[in-house]
Each structure stands twice: as structure tokens, then as C-alpha cells.
């Protein structure tokens, strides 16, 4: 048998070894496949471990995110809720309450602390792992986002030592259940704790406060994110006090026999004269937003309402971008008959404000102290009833001239803001009062319906009330004779037509036996600003309106 011929056929290529590049590529593919398989194995092991841990999570029913309240998945528990202000009544008892997170921090895998807030109250909460509370729950609680809304159940316990980081210092909550009712998105556009710090002075918005690592946040940034800004405790305090002033205003006057009224805010003529009025299209004719309820207050006096008061919006189209001007503010107005002298009205206004100041000290001390602690303002110096400094305008001018800072102040000119503030400082020094009245203003700087002074025709029976050297109320005896009123309107600068639509009805109301009367109008926001020593009036308006801002 012939041997098999194993030689390669003629022309055939001899077999070759794999190239080095091919070997390297194959090796890399092998390593990649091995890594992928290992990763899958680890993932499977971790999932199995987590599933096992979840199966062993003794707290899994006691924490997590709740379904949206009112949704088909939401199931009410009807558990009574507690106000944290009453925590002392629940020591060693289980309580449930809604709150939000000021901060949450994990100390370890077995311990977390939260600062929880409800209204102006904050409390420290402790989450500690135990046989009945899992490490998974501790981890969840320690990582809840700031400002999230929670429903918490826990034991109210006496704190072993005062907790300085909370307003409730003698008690703490040992959490048993914690559910996120609505999580807050992060990052926040503004930190709430920044809104509790003072405003920067003008031009120093990016300056870092002494002893702090963060720059102060500007008022503009705060107002652009107002709903977050308003969460700050200082802002809650401001608006509690603002409502308090309004309530005390009506409370005092109600006892004095005043009737609360609501007058129109869409009017046919500018109630104060001048150009600082917002005109609007009212169907086929122009109308205006009310600069004050002045015309209607007086018309009600002629209608035999002897004493009226109103709390309502006031609109002023003044292009004033100052720290004490708004284009929309809340007016506290009153008008009343007097018997023989307009100082009877002044006495009511003085006693009204003394009542408000005294009751703010008594009922709203906590809120007042909180705000003043941030802005470092002195306590408000009060005179006794009947001893409010009443300074005739010429005497005020004399005080300013003798002081030397404003030697050229005009005898019949209106005061500028710096002059007002300086006079306020002089009054405080001389009389020991932050509250005073400046009487008998020059007639030329008052509205056309102001009664001229019988002693000096260049002066008037008018007055302003001041807090810390800044005006909060303007008032006067009003002209109650139709012919004199029409004459003063025509002679006013600028002139006012007493026969114009919207004005004629006002003038005519005095033709039918009007009694002598006077009154005044306060700016609610200014009272709050000066009481608390705030640097800007916009802080006292929930959503302020000024020449630059009509949103949010």
C-alpha cells in the first residue's frame, strides 16, 4: 500500500499562527466577559441581600413616602394630630403631628437626628436603631430632604439637657414612625435659614456676614422666591404682628363706637388730587384706583354715621423706590365727628396708637423679640396716655434749625425724610418718646379739603403721627362747608374742579348740614416696619408692589 501524501498541494498557503493583536483582542474580550459576569453576580448577590434585609426590616411599615393625599391609593388613618406648642402636656406619651424638616443628619448607621418645625416651634427628633427599629429606617430618616413635609409619630420625652438648636429646648421626640407626605425638590432656590438672617445693607449683597461662611441674600432674591422666603420664622413673626396691629386697631375703635365700613376702590375722581393715581379703563370711560377712602369717609359723616373706620387696600402711583414706599399698601382709616376742637380727634389717634403699642408688648412679645434680635433695634419708647408730645410745626422747624444739621429748613416747607428722622431723634432725646405728633402743618403741603388754621392762614388744622422719626399717619380737620371746600379746591396746586364727575357728589354732600369732623389714615405696613425696626417696608407685605415689581 502506497504511503499517504501529506505534503501541501502545489499553490496552497501554509497554515499560520494567530497574530499577536488577535490574541490580545481575544484576551480582552475574555476579561470583559468575566468582569461583566462578576458584576452581574455581585448585583444578584446585593439584590438577594437587600431582599433578605427587607424581609428582616422590622420597621418597613413605619416609614416611607405616603401616596398623594386624596389620591385613590391614599387611606386616611384618622389619627389625632398634636400641636407641638402643647408638647409639655404629652410627656412620655405617643403623639402624631405634621411638620417639616429643617435639617436631617445621620450620626451613624444606628443613629440620626432631625430638627422638625411646626409654625414657630422647632423640636429635636431622635431616630435610634433597636430591636424594634431598623437601621434601614434610621438611614431613611437621616436622608430626608430639607423642607419636606412629614407626618411623624413618636414619644415626647424630657430632654436630658437643654437643646439649644431648637425653640423647644426641654423636650425631644423619639421617633417611632416617619412618613414623607410631600418631598421637597432639591436644591432649593433659596435656603430658609438664609431668610432668617438680616438683609444686607444696600450695595453689600455679596458681603459675607462676620463669623459666617455664606453671603447675605439680597431682598430681590428673596422676593423672587417669596414662598420659600416666607417660610422663615422671622417672616412668620412679622405677619403675625401685622395681623395683630390690624386686629388691635379695630378692637380699640370698636370699643369707642366706630362702625367698620368698606368703601369703593374703583372711583371716578382722584381722592387726593395730583397725578399719583392709577388710571384704568372702566368700560367706555376712565376710572381710578382709590388713593384713600377719604371722600367716602367724609360722605358717611354727612350721612349721619358719627364714627367710621376701614381697613382696606390703598393705591399710590408714586414712582418712589425707597425703603418705606409701596404702590399698594393697607390703609387703616378713621373719620369722626368732634364737638368743638380737632384735637379731640388727635387724642383718639394718640390713645389708639398707645393701645396698639402696649398690646403688642403684651400679646406679641415672642414674635417682636425674635425679629428685633435679628435687626438689633432698641425697644420702642412709649409716653403715657395724655403725655404724647404734641409739637407745633413751627416749633419742630425751630428745633431742627437750632440743632444745626438743617439750618436752612423752610418755615412753610414739607419735611424731607432725613429732616423727619433727625427731628425724631431730637424728640426722643428731649421727651424720651419714640412716638409723637407734629401739629399745624403748612396749608400749601396738605390736601385741598384741609381746614386752614384760624391763627395763621399759611398753616392748617392738620397733623402727622410719627414712629422713630418717620410718619405713619396723616390727618386733619376737614372742611365741612361746601362753598369753602369748592374755593380751596380751585385755589389748590394743582387746581381741582369741584364740579367734575366724582368730585361734585363729594362737595354737594356738605350742602345739607354736615358736622365738624376729622380723621386720619395710617399705613399698616409702616407701623409694622417701624415697630420692629425693619430696614425695608417690602418685608411687611406678603407680595409687595412697587414701581419695579408686580410679581409674584
Amino acid at each position: 500500500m502506497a504511503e499517504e501524501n501529506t505534503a501541501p498541494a502545489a499553490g496552497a498557503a501554509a497554515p499560520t499562527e494567530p497574530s499577536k493583536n488577535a490574541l490580545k483582542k481575544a484576551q480582552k474580550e475574555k476579561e470583559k466577559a468575566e468582569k461583566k459576569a462578576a458584576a452581574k453576580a455581585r448585583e444578584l448577590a446585593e439584590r438577594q441581600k437587600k431582599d433578605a434585609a427587607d424581609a428582616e426590616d422590622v420597621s418597613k411599615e413605619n416609614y416611607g413616602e405616603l401616596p398623594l393625599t386624596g389620591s385613590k391609593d391614599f387611606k386616611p388613618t384618622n389619627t389625632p394630630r398634636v400641636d407641638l406648642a402643647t408638647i409639655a402636656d404629652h410627656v412620655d406619651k405617643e403623639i402624631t403631628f405634621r411638620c417639616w424638616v429643617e435639617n436631617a443628619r445621620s450620626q451613624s448607621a444606628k443613629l440620626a437626628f432631625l430638627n422638625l418645625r411646626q409654625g414657630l416651634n422647632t423640636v429635636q427628633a431622635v431616630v435610634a436603631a433597636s430591636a424594634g427599629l431598623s437601621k434601614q429606617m434610621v438611614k431613611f430618616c437621616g436622608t430626608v430632604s430639607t423642607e419636606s413635609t412629614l407626618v411623624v409619630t413618636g414619644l415626647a420625652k424630657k430632654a436630658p439637657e437643654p437643646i439649644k438648636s431648637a425653640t423647644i429646648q426641654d423636650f425631644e421626640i423619639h421617633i417611632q414612625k416617619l412618613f414623607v407626605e410631600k418631598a421637597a425638590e432639591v436644591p432649593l432656590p433659596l435656603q430658609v435659614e438664609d431668610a432668617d438672617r438680616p438683609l444686607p445693607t444696600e450695595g453689600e449683597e455679596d458681603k459675607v456676614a462676620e463669623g459666617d461662611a455664606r453671603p447675605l441674600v439680597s431682598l430681590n432674591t428673596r422676593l423672587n422666591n417669596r414662598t420659600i422666603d416666607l417660610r422663615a420664622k422671622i417672616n412668620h413673626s412679622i405677619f403675625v404682628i401685622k395681623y395683630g396691629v390690624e386686629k388691635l386697631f379695630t378692637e380699640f375703635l370698636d370699643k369707642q363706637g366706630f362702625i367698620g365700613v368698606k368703601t369703593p376702590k374703583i372711583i371716578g375722581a382722584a381722592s387726593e388730587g395730583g397725578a399719583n393715581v392709577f388710571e384704568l379703563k372702566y368700560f367706555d370711560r376712565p376710572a381710578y384706583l382709590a388713593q384713600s377712602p377719604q371722600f367716602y369717609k367724609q360722605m358717611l359723616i354727612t350721612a349721619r354715621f358719627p364714627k367710621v373706620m376701614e381697613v382696606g387696600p390703598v393705591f399710590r402711583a408714586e414712582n418712589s423706590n425707597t425703603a418705606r414706599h409701596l404702590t399698594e399698601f393697607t390703609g387703616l382709616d378713621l373719620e369722626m365727628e368732634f364737638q368743638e376742637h380737632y384735637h379731640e380727634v388727635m387724642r383718639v389717634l394718640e390713645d389708639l396708637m398707645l393701645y396698639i403699642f402696649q398690646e403688642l408688648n403684651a400679646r406679641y412679645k415672642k414674635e417682636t423679640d425674635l425679629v428685633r434680635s435679628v435687626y438689633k433695634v432698641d425697644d420702642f419708647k412709649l409716653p403715657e396716655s395724655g403725655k404724647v408730645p404734641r409739637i407745633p410745626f413751627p416749633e419742630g422747624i425751630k428745633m431742627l434749625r437750632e440743632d444745626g444739621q438743617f439750618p436752612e429748613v423752610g418755615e412753610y416747607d414739607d419735611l424731607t425724610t432725613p429732616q423727619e428722622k433727625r427731628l425724631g431723634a431730637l424728640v426722643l432725646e428731649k421727651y424720651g418718646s419714640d412716638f409723637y405728633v407734629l401739629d399745624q402743618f403748612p396749608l400749601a403741603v396738605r390736601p385741598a379739603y384741609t381746614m386752614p388754621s384760624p391763627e395763621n392762614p399759611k398753616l392748617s388744622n392738620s397733623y402727622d403721627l410719627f414712629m422713630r422719626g418717620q410718619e405713619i399717619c396723616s390727618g386733619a380737620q376737614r372742611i365741612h362747608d361746601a362753598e369753602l371746600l369748592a374755593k380751596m379746591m380751585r385755589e389748590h396746586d394743582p387746581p381741582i374742579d369741584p364740579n367734575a364727575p366724582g368730585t361734585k357728589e363729594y362737595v354737594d354732600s356738605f350742602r345739607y348740614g354736615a358736622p365738624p369732623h376729622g380723621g386720619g389714615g395710617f399705613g399698616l405696613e409702616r407701623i409694622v416696619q417701624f415697630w420692629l425696626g425693619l430696614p425695608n417696608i417690602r418685608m411687611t407685605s406678603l407680595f409687595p408692589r412697587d414701581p419695579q415689581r408686580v410679581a409674584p
Side-chain angles (χ1 to χ4, degrees):
M1 185 174 177
E3 290 185 10
E4 184 178 351
N5 186 2
T6 59
T16 60
E17 295 293 328
S19 69
K20 289 183 179 181
N21 287 338
L23 290 172
K24 284 182 179 180
K25 184 175 180 181
Q27 182 64 26
K28 284 183 178 179
E29 291 294 332
K30 180 182 178 183
E31 290 173 356
K32 186 176 179 181
E34 290 173 348
K35 286 181 180 179
K36 188 173 182 181
K40 282 188 176 180
R42 284 195 302 272
E43 183 181 343
L44 178 62
E46 287 174 2
R47 189 180 300 121
Q48 291 172 339
K49 183 179 179 180
K50 184 178 184 300
D51 290 343
D54 288 344
E56 296 172 4
D57 185 354
V58 296
S59 302
K60 62 183 178 180
E61 301 298 325
N62 294 334
Y63 70 95
E65 293 198 19
L66 292 174
L68 192 66
T69 304
S71 69
K72 65 178 182 179
D73 297 320
F74 177 74
K75 295 179 177 58
T77 65
N78 299 315
T79 304
R81 304 294 177 86
V82 167
D83 189 329
L84 284 179
T86 66
I87 192 171
D89 300 331
H90 302 280
V91 178
D92 295 326
K93 297 178 183 177
E94 181 181 282
I95 60 173
T96 298
F97 56 95
R98 173 182 285 144
C99 58
W100 68 82
V101 183
E102 279 202 331
N103 65 67
R105 60 194 188 279
S106 295
Q107 293 291 97
S108 67
K110 295 184 177 183
L111 183 65
F113 291 95
L114 297 89
N115 262 40
L116 305 177
R117 180 177 167 192
Q118 186 189 77
L120 291 177
N121 295 306
T122 57
V123 67
Q124 177 176 275
V126 183
V127 194
S130 65
L133 196 151
S134 67
K135 290 193 290 185
Q136 293 96 318
M137 180 172 173
V138 173
K139 181 179 179 181
F140 178 86
C141 294
T143 56
V144 176
S145 59
T146 301
E147 290 301 305
S148 292
T149 303
L150 309 180
V151 176
V152 171
T153 298
L155 288 176
K157 305 289 286 185
K158 180 75 176 174
E161 59 184 39
I163 301 166
K164 296 181 180 179
S165 62
T167 62
I168 298 173
Q169 299 191 348
D170 297 326
F171 305 96
E172 61 185 7
I173 301 295
H174 289 213
I175 289 180
Q176 298 168 319
K177 299 178 183 179
L178 184 147
F179 293 98
V180 176
E181 201 169 35
K182 196 69 183 71
E185 296 181 11
V186 291
L188 293 169
L190 170 72
Q191 295 299 317
V192 175
E193 62 181 328
D194 285 339
D196 267 322
R197 299 159 70 220
L199 280 181
T201 56
E202 190 174 351
E204 295 186 345
E205 285 79 3
D206 297 324
K207 182 178 178 181
V208 175
E210 186 176 346
D212 206 325
R214 306 185 309 276
L216 297 174
V217 180
S218 71
L219 179 61
N220 199 49
T221 297
R222 296 184 188 194
L223 294 180
N224 287 342
N225 301 282
R226 189 58 163 159
T227 55
I228 300 295
D229 180 51
L230 285 172
R231 294 182 179 186
K233 288 188 283 291
I234 186 173
N235 285 328
H236 275 241
S237 296
I238 288 169
F239 290 100
V240 167
I241 290 167
K242 184 177 182 179
Y243 174 64
V245 173
E246 177 183 336
K247 183 167 63 174
L248 294 168
F249 174 83
T250 56
E251 187 178 287
F252 176 87
L253 293 178
D254 184 66
K255 293 175 183 176
Q256 300 293 318
F258 283 74
I259 297 172
V261 298
K262 297 297 178 187
T263 60
K265 302 309 165 198
I266 300 176
I267 60 178
S271 51
E272 300 285 347
N276 60 338
V277 59
F278 289 110
E279 183 175 335
L280 55 89
K281 183 179 180 181
Y282 192 70
F283 301 103
D284 59 346
R285 59 194 182 278
Y288 307 92
L289 293 178
Q291 296 164 294
S292 83
Q294 187 59 46
F295 284 9
Y296 296 99
K297 288 192 303 179
Q298 292 185 254
M299 291 167 76
L300 287 168
I301 295 293
T302 71
R304 302 295 187 254
F305 286 77
K307 297 178 179 180
V308 295
M309 61 176 168
E310 178 171 9
V311 178
V314 175
F315 303 91
R316 297 284 172 89
E318 295 177 288
N319 193 16
S320 298
N321 295 282
T322 76
R324 66 174 196 170
H325 282 90
L326 293 169
T327 53
E328 178 185 353
F329 61 91
T330 305
L332 305 178
D333 278 270
L334 64 88
E335 203 76 18
M336 61 177 281
E337 293 181 12
F338 64 82
Q339 299 305 312
E340 296 181 327
H341 199 281
Y342 76 95
H343 280 186
E344 297 168 31
V345 183
M346 279 175 52
R347 180 60 187 268
V348 171
L349 292 168
E350 291 167 357
D351 286 347
L352 164 65
M353 291 311 301
L354 289 179
Y355 179 80
I356 290 174
F357 297 147
Q358 290 160 357
E359 292 304 309
L360 285 175
N361 278 331
R363 304 187 202 180
Y364 300 93
K365 187 176 187 305
K366 176 182 176 182
E367 292 83 0
T368 296
D369 288 347
L370 174 61
V371 179
R372 288 181 181 170
S373 70
V374 174
Y375 285 97
K376 313 300 182 187
V377 66
D378 293 335
D379 288 342
F380 195 84
K381 306 295 190 304
L382 285 176
E384 297 177 12
S385 177
K387 295 185 178 180
V388 175
R390 291 182 181 176
I391 302 169
F393 192 85
E395 182 182 328
I397 297 299
K398 182 180 177 183
M399 290 173 67
L400 284 171
R401 287 175 175 172
E402 290 178 351
D403 175 59
Q405 286 197 23
F406 299 99
E408 304 301 323
V409 59
E411 192 170 355
Y412 297 107
D413 294 336
D414 205 358
L415 296 179
T416 65
T417 299
Q419 289 167 350
E420 282 184 358
K421 290 181 177 180
R422 184 56 192 160
L423 183 57
L426 295 173
V427 171
L428 177 61
E429 182 181 332
K430 183 175 181 178
Y431 297 99
S433 175
D434 276 313
F435 173 57
Y436 72 96
V437 180
L438 199 58
D439 190 19
Q440 290 277 303
F441 269 74
L443 183 64
V445 302
R446 305 303 275 199
Y449 48 74
T450 307
M451 180 67 78
S453 171
E455 283 84 23
N456 184 340
K458 290 188 175 182
L459 299 178
S460 63
N461 291 353
S462 65
Y463 41 81
D464 280 359
L465 277 63
F466 291 83
M467 290 175 64
R468 301 188 195 272
Q470 300 196 69
E471 179 249 319
I472 56 162
C473 172
S474 184
Q477 177 185 352
R478 325 297 190 182
I479 297 173
H480 59 286
D481 177 83
E483 297 307 322
L484 177 58
L485 178 58
K487 174 179 179 293
M488 298 300 291
M489 284 182 161
R490 293 188 188 99
E491 293 176 359
H492 193 262
D493 183 17
I496 301 171
D497 182 0
N499 295 310
T503 305
K504 184 177 187 302
E505 296 84 354
Y506 163 69
V507 175
D508 285 348
S509 70
F510 297 102
R511 300 187 185 279
Y512 313 112
H517 61 280
F522 296 86
L524 173 57
E525 287 79 5
R526 281 195 183 180
I527 295 174
V528 177
Q529 180 187 7
F530 303 148
W531 173 254
L532 296 173
L534 298 174
N536 198 298
I537 197 170
R538 289 156 186 79
M539 299 176 69
T540 69
S541 176
L542 287 170
F543 301 98
R545 295 293 177 258
D546 62 31
Q548 311 304 322
R549 181 175 291 277
V550 290

